[in-house]
Amino acid sequence: MQEALELPKELLKEYSRMTILGGEDVWIENYQSMMEYNDNYIRFSNHIAIYGDDLKVEEICEDDVLIVGKIKQIEFE
Amino acid sequence: MFLEPTYQLIKGYDIVRVEGYFVERFLNLCMSRNVSIWNVKKISEIETEIKTFQQDFHKLKTIANITKCRITIVSQKGGIHVLKQYQKRIPFLITVIGCLLMIYQLSTRIWQIEIAGEFTIPIDELCKELKEENVKIGMRKKDLDFDTIKSHIYRRRNDVVWMGFDVRGVKAIVSFVERTNIEDNSVRQSPCHVVSNQEGIVEKIFVREGTKVVEEGDFVQSGDVLISGKVTSLDGTIRMVHSDGEILLKTWYVGKATIPFEKDVPMPTGKKEYDMIVKFGNIPIKFRNNGTNFEKYDTIRRDEKLLVFQKYQIPIELMMTIYQELEIETIFYQKEQALELAKRQALWDLQRQRKVHLTDIPEDCMDVQIDDNAVTVTITVACIESVGVKNEITR
């Protein structure tokens, strides 16, 4: 069905979509919720963890979050 | 959202400090309860700063109670807060409103009148005509009745064929187009000679009325009568007529230029000094007006009328005088360079006399003389021109 209608996977399953701009911005769609947050480390409930320096949540809403800072590492647990 | 920071600034926002150990939970609850927050920044282990709209602050209090956090407003910024700040400063608000009203009042009047167009009518006469129609500096824009003014001036002046009004800000631009083919009936009927206004050899002469005085091949000078207004009848009586005809004259023009191999030329050194005067209406305020200490200098005068939105003029004028220091430098030309320059300058000289653009002058029209110090180029061209002006016969 999904293939026949060519529906994107993230709509049917609870997948997250991540967009990285340079080494400064990370845009995560469908992040679910924030588990841990500090200057160097942000962990989300969708098993994504971002490591870096001076991390800041520039924009946040129910589905999307924009993390700004010096991104060093992104981990999928 | 597009232009989100601008929207936030206009709407006004609070910077809130959240203190507690469960900031993540606090943020998640904010999202689930549709509280707009942005710029979340960790200050210390237990302190986080967030930005939020003022109307969402009471929701934040509830969330803080649930998550056992403490919230305090660090600062308030943006539109609503700015307005609140000035709410108690009544004299200031009155001054601002007064200034705005004054600017509005001043901008409803004409503060400059510019007369545009190409015409030979003396500008004083046109100013007088406008003054008669009550078009003057300081008048209200809505009192300008263009159609009436135009019809009055058209009726009074035979030499104005078209008038245009354009009001830009506080500036009124009045354009005039002059009637060029006016021939007064009295002049057309009056007896006259056709006289030459050039020097040369008559190539062709065709007489419509009058008596031919010169023949083809004759040399005439400026002022010589070509067609006479005196006509002798067969019975010997002389009568005066308004002579008319076409005369083609062969004329010569000479363009000459001398370029020395060594030439002293003033060159800018790059050093500049400025004088500045700001004129508010008719009141000048001098910011710097000391002249210059340069020995040799060029003076550039720049008057700028300030425009709003590049179109609307306001009664503030910036008058700037720039003094550019010059130094005399000797330039040495090669023979070929001097020759080329002399040719170009001789051509300019020719164009200045003939008032037309000339190109491709054949080499045989040029006379080149080179001596030890300079190159001299003389260009001679012959033209066939229609000449003749009417000269009224005075009794």
Side-chain angles (χ1 to χ4, degrees):
Chain A
M1 180 73 173
Q2 178 217 335
E3 279 176 15
L5 294 171
E6 290 185 0
L7 289 169
K9 272 183 187 177
E10 65 266 28
L11 288 181
L12 298 173
K13 297 175 184 176
E14 288 199 338
Y15 285 160
S16 299
R17 178 192 279 265
M18 194 181 333
T19 312
I20 305 166
L21 291 175
E24 293 171 353
D25 293 7
V26 180
W27 179 265
I28 305 168
E29 291 170 54
N30 193 19
Y31 69 95
Q32 292 166 4
S33 65
M34 202 183 284
M35 303 295 285
E36 238 174 296
Y37 168 54
N38 63 47
D39 266 4
N40 310 315
Y41 173 62
I42 300 175
R43 190 161 67 86
F44 297 99
S45 60
N46 58 357
H47 309 294
I48 293 172
I50 297 166
Y51 295 85
D53 292 333
D54 299 324
L55 296 179
K56 200 171 104 178
V57 180
E58 183 80 15
E59 280 175 37
I60 185 167
C61 62
E62 212 172 340
D63 299 321
D64 313 334
V65 64
L66 173 65
I67 312 290
V68 177
K70 206 171 180 183
I71 313 290
K72 283 184 177 169
Q73 192 182 333
I74 297 171
E75 202 175 87
F76 300 92
E77 293 164 359
Chain B
M1 196 215 282
F2 180 61
L3 289 177
E4 201 163 348
T6 317
Y7 170 70
Q8 287 159 359
L9 202 68
I10 290 166
K11 203 174 172 190
Y13 60 87
D14 295 345
I15 299 174
V16 179
R17 182 163 294 169
V18 184
E19 288 173 65
Y21 290 100
F22 307 106
V23 181
E24 297 82 3
R25 202 173 158 223
F26 179 88
L27 295 176
N28 290 332
L29 271 174
C30 284
M31 291 306 102
S32 62
R33 294 187 181 199
N34 280 334
V35 179
S36 297
I37 56 168
W38 66 94
N39 273 24
V40 181
K41 200 179 178 187
K42 202 95 175 173
I43 305 293
S44 68
E45 199 60 44
I46 55 161
E47 283 179 322
T48 309
E49 251 182 27
I50 60 168
K51 287 180 183 173
T52 184
F53 290 121
Q54 203 193 18
Q55 67 263 35
D56 288 340
F57 186 72
H58 69 278
K59 286 185 191 171
L60 283 186
K61 274 184 187 170
T62 324
I63 297 167
N65 280 337
I66 297 167
T67 54
K68 294 190 173 58
C69 291
R70 199 169 65 185
I71 55 168
T72 42
I73 295 175
V74 178
S75 63
Q76 295 180 314
K77 288 186 178 170
I80 296 166
H81 305 303
V82 171
L83 282 178
K84 276 184 183 170
Q85 207 177 333
Y86 287 108
Q87 218 170 22
K88 288 172 188 171
R89 298 168 71 179
I90 303 294
F92 176 76
L93 270 178
I94 291 170
T95 316
V96 168
I97 293 165
C99 283
L100 289 173
L101 282 174
M102 202 167 80
I103 290 169
Y104 171 73
Q105 265 301 317
L106 288 173
S107 64
T108 57
R109 290 172 184 272
I110 297 287
W111 293 108
Q112 199 194 355
I113 299 167
E114 190 180 299
I115 294 175
E118 281 184 21
F119 43 77
T120 54
I121 309 165
I123 211 142
D124 293 345
E125 277 185 33
L126 297 175
C127 288
K128 213 172 148 188
E129 292 289 344
L130 290 174
K131 211 173 262 180
E132 253 181 65
E133 293 301 322
N134 283 327
V135 179
K136 54 191 175 189
I137 287 168
M139 72 176 297
R140 295 173 76 169
K141 281 188 214 170
K142 68 173 186 182
D143 294 341
L144 269 174
D145 184 359
F146 301 134
D147 294 335
T148 316
I149 296 167
K150 275 184 202 174
S151 65
H152 285 177
I153 291 179
Y154 288 155
R155 214 173 299 154
R156 276 203 303 271
R157 293 202 72 103
N158 200 21
D159 50 355
V160 175
V161 71
W162 181 83
M163 262 182 83
F165 277 96
D166 188 11
V167 177
R168 290 184 190 169
V170 294
K171 181 179 174 185
I173 302 168
V174 189
S175 312
F176 285 95
V177 175
E178 190 184 2
R179 195 189 298 273
T180 50
N181 56 347
I182 304 175
E183 205 172 339
D184 194 0
N185 277 341
S186 62
V187 172
R188 198 161 42 195
Q189 296 304 321
S190 65
C192 69
H193 296 308
V194 175
V195 297
S196 172
N197 54 351
Q198 292 272 357
E199 194 181 86
I201 294 173
V202 179
E203 275 284 307
K204 256 179 193 164
I205 181 160
F206 166 72
V207 180
R208 282 195 202 94
E209 197 161 10
T211 312
K212 189 158 73 170
V213 178
V214 290
E215 291 296 330
E216 285 166 13
D218 284 358
F219 179 78
V220 292
Q221 285 189 325
S222 179
D224 285 357
V225 177
L226 304 172
I227 303 167
S228 173
K230 284 181 188 173
V231 177
T232 313
S233 307
L234 288 171
D235 58 357
T237 53
I238 295 170
R239 62 189 176 91
M240 309 302 271
V241 294
H242 179 87
S243 60
D244 190 19
E246 292 285 334
I247 306 104
L248 294 178
L249 209 67
K250 190 173 187 179
T251 53
W252 284 269
Y253 290 92
V254 180
K256 195 175 178 183
T258 305
I259 300 291
F261 293 124
E262 274 181 44
K263 197 179 177 187
D264 288 340
V265 180
M267 297 289 275
T269 58
K271 286 181 189 169
K272 286 177 184 175
E273 280 183 359
Y274 301 89
D275 275 357
M276 197 167 81
I277 299 169
V278 180
K279 219 172 159 189
F280 295 92
N282 287 327
I283 307 157
I285 295 171
K286 291 170 186 173
F287 282 93
R288 195 187 175 280
N289 194 24
N290 305 333
T292 178
N293 298 321
F294 297 145
E295 218 171 280
K296 282 192 169 56
Y297 58 90
D298 252 355
T299 310
I300 303 163
R301 180 78 186 267
R302 197 178 289 165
D303 290 358
E304 275 178 32
K305 284 176 177 151
L306 294 187
L307 297 175
V308 182
F309 304 124
Q310 297 183 330
K311 190 177 175 188
Y312 301 107
Q313 200 176 332
I314 51 173
I316 300 173
E317 200 177 339
L318 199 72
M319 294 157 80
M320 198 178 257
T321 313
I322 303 163
Y323 303 102
Q324 212 171 35
E325 195 188 26
L326 298 174
E327 204 175 53
I328 302 294
E329 275 184 26
T330 309
I331 293 177
F332 299 94
Y333 290 118
Q334 296 291 323
K335 193 176 133 189
E336 292 77 19
Q337 285 177 319
L339 182 63
E340 191 56 39
L341 213 60
K343 278 182 187 173
R344 220 181 297 162
Q345 279 195 11
L347 198 63
W348 283 339
D349 185 36
L350 201 64
Q351 283 174 353
R352 188 177 48 79
Q353 295 171 48
R354 190 69 187 87
K355 289 182 181 128
V356 287
H357 185 64
L358 298 168
T359 48
D360 297 334
I361 299 287
E363 287 289 325
D364 58 351
C365 293
M366 288 186 199
D367 174 39
V368 179
Q369 283 180 345
I370 302 170
D371 57 26
D372 293 343
N373 301 321
V375 176
T376 305
V377 172
T378 313
I379 302 174
T380 312
V381 288
C383 303
I384 305 285
E385 294 182 86
S386 175
V387 296
V389 286
K390 288 177 180 177
N391 201 350
E392 208 176 334
I393 302 167
T394 49
R395 287 168 199 274

